Amino acid sequence: MTVRPLATSPVSPARGTGRDATAFGVYVHWPFCLSKCPYCDFNSHVRHAAIDEARFARAFAAEIAATAERAPGRTVSSIFFGGGTPSLMQPATVAAILDSVARGWSIAPDAEVTLEANPTSVEAARFRGYRAAGVNRVSLGVQALDDEVLRRLGRRHTANEALAAVAIARATFERYSFDLIYAREGHTPDAWAAELRQAIAQAGEHLSLYQLTIEMDTPFAALAAAGALKIPDEDCARALYDVTQTICADAGLPAYEVSNHARPGRECRHNLVYWRSQEYAGVGPGAHGRLVVDGRRRATATEKRPEAWLMRVESLGHGLTTDEALIPEEIADEFLLMGLRLAEGIDPARYAKIAGRPLDAGRLAELTAQGAVEMTPDGRLRVTRSGFPVLDAVVADLAA
Ligand SMILES: C[S@@+](CC[C@H](N)C(=O)[O-])C[C@H]1O[C@@H](n2cnc3c(N)ncnc32)[C@H](O)[C@@H]1O
Ligand code: SF4
């Protein structure tokens, strides 16, 4: 059975994804791209020969069936095709994978089904096919609205082409989002404010706004080390972050996570599964999962190299290379690390239950006095706006 597109009624944000309610996400990794962007360290690979999609679809079916056997009886609340570039897949491949998910578990009638797409015209031409396959949300990698910047980011689209893809997404899917990268070389708060306002005019309910990170072993890292790429210093990055928060909040798209903005109730439900430490299966090359098996939360990861993953699945029935039960301290640290990224923060009682001890009262008092964290009126602990730029330090302090 293929998961059919939903009626055009708004997606209920509450069902199955209440803050601490049971949700179950399925992440599907498609590891191929047409070219490698110089800033990117995702598990993505360029192949010059055609990809045997039917063979991959069979391997996905096997891995999904094996995962469903270990974690049976779940109701899937979200499915996310990430990459790499999932918009290079034929719609029939997406439909086959959704069929496999539906064979393994039941899928909630209002499940969110997202596909990451690169905004070229070739890919936008497949949107209707994805919708017919059951995708009801796309997330487009627009990255910038300036052609010269896009060229330097190694992108294969122009700003106009990206905006045309956004318009096709708006006309095709109930929900869409797009990504921009800011704090690029020479990026000033004024230039970013203008670009962001232009983006918001085209945005629907959701935007992902990432500060450029120089990832190790990428061409950008080599350029930065050679002094040939200069990203904004800390003060400028902070000013860019502040501009982002103010403009988005004024436009009704407040941050609900460090880099993610949405109209209230229109958050990406799949990503909330990660940040709320709920349960998810990860399938495909290099996918990570967190499954509860026999009452223990387990961390899973699969073989990263696409062809090695294929062969592993074909011989063993799954591509797992990591499958380990987490100890309470690890689960509690991850709960903090992920949950404190969210504007809604965390429930300290849930932390205490996982960790077997409450958060350290002394450290909490210190961070509160520094203005880095605060308690909400309903008893949740969250990072303040001034704490977010130093989030890693806050988490390290509480987790230590
Ligand atoms: C899995 S990636 C890309 C999906 C899709 N292939 C694309 O490029 O549009 C998801 C997003 O991460 C962001 N991203 C990737 N590398 C980054 C980096 N080094 N710094 C900041 N953002 C990054 C980009 O905005 C990208 O759209
Ligand atoms: S940013 Fe997207 S298109 Fe570029 S290499 Fe990474 S996954 Fe591929």
Side-chain angles (χ1 to χ4, degrees):
M1 185 208 82
T2 293
V3 190
R4 293 291 156 213
L6 306 173
T8 46
S9 58
V11 175
S12 153
R15 181 129 170 220
T17 54
R19 272 184 196 157
D20 301 320
T22 312
F24 184 73
V26 178
Y27 176 76
V28 179
H29 192 78
W30 186 255
F32 301 112
C33 292
L34 288 181
S35 52
K36 188 84 192 171
C37 305
Y39 54 85
C40 176
D41 78 338
F42 281 84
N43 185 32
S44 63
H45 304 261
V46 178
R47 295 287 178 266
H48 297 293
I51 308 296
D52 185 346
E53 292 196 29
R55 188 173 168 201
F56 269 90
R58 285 193 296 277
F60 273 107
E63 188 161 69
I64 288 165
T67 312
E69 222 170 275
R70 300 187 70 206
R74 311 296 198 269
T75 298
V76 176
S77 48
S78 63
I79 302 169
F80 194 101
F81 289 87
T85 306
S87 53
L88 295 175
M89 298 164 93
Q90 297 303 319
T93 308
V94 172
I97 293 172
L98 289 174
D99 280 349
S100 302
V101 174
R103 275 195 300 275
W105 297 284
S106 59
I107 299 182
D110 63 351
E112 174 190 273
V113 185
T114 304
L115 182 132
E116 270 182 353
N118 284 21
T120 69
S121 53
V122 177
E123 289 161 297
R126 295 192 195 105
F127 285 0
R128 284 167 67 109
Y130 295 141
R131 186 189 155 92
V135 171
N136 54 31
R137 182 176 183 275
V138 281
S139 173
L140 294 155
V142 171
Q143 320 305 8
L145 292 174
D146 175 308
D147 287 348
E148 177 51 25
V149 172
L150 286 168
R151 196 188 60 73
R152 271 189 266 142
L153 288 174
R155 303 298 293 184
R156 303 171 72 97
H157 60 266
T158 61
N160 278 341
E161 203 177 359
L163 292 174
V166 168
I168 297 171
R170 184 186 302 123
T172 311
F173 298 98
E174 294 130 72
R175 304 173 64 197
Y176 71 96
S177 174
F178 59 89
D179 301 351
L180 295 175
I181 296 179
Y182 70 99
R184 308 173 311 236
E185 185 167 32
H187 219 182
T188 63
D190 282 351
W192 172 229
E195 188 178 13
L196 184 53
R197 287 201 177 92
Q198 194 192 346
I200 286 173
Q202 302 303 321
E205 54 177 35
H206 193 285
L207 272 182
S208 300
L209 306 169
Y210 299 108
Q211 280 203 20
L212 177 64
T213 310
I214 303 299
E215 303 286 359
M216 273 194 320
D217 300 327
T218 58
F220 267 22
L223 286 174
L229 172 71
K230 291 191 183 63
I231 56 165
D233 63 18
E234 209 174 293
D235 287 348
C236 182
R238 178 64 200 262
L240 290 162
Y241 174 81
D242 286 342
V243 161
T244 310
Q245 304 311 306
T246 306
I247 293 181
C248 287
D250 288 351
L253 288 162
Y256 67 98
E257 189 267 349
V258 178
S259 309
N260 284 277
H261 298 253
R263 302 201 187 288
R266 298 302 178 126
E267 298 84 4
C268 172
R269 291 164 56 188
H270 184 81
N271 286 339
L272 282 175
V273 165
Y274 305 146
W275 297 319
R276 289 176 173 164
S277 288
Q278 291 165 328
E279 191 183 17
Y280 56 97
V283 295
H288 290 251
R290 292 289 181 274
L291 289 181
V292 180
V293 181
D294 297 331
R296 299 281 308 270
R297 188 167 174 88
R298 303 184 73 86
T300 67
T302 54
E303 164 62 51
K304 284 179 81 172
R305 295 164 300 162
E307 292 74 18
W309 173 83
L310 256 188
M311 288 191 285
R312 205 174 171 87
V313 178
E314 286 169 354
S315 62
L316 301 175
H318 64 78
L320 289 176
T321 50
T322 301
D323 177 18
E324 51 195 36
L326 297 170
I327 58 173
E329 287 80 357
E330 290 171 323
I331 302 173
D333 283 354
E334 196 167 85
F335 175 70
L336 276 184
L337 186 74
M338 301 305 271
L340 288 178
R341 299 178 64 91
L342 290 171
E344 71 183 22
I346 59 150
D347 175 4
R350 190 173 163 210
Y351 174 87
K353 202 168 157 203
I354 298 170
R357 58 174 169 80
L359 286 161
D360 185 288
R363 287 201 188 117
L364 258 186
E366 238 173 76
L367 288 168
T368 309
Q370 288 163 11
V373 299
E374 63 190 4
M375 292 299 278
T376 65
D378 59 346
R380 295 178 72 87
L381 175 71
R382 71 174 175 212
V383 174
T384 61
R385 183 160 161 176
S386 58
F388 267 116
V390 290
L391 178 64
D392 290 349
V394 173
V395 172
D397 206 7
L398 279 174

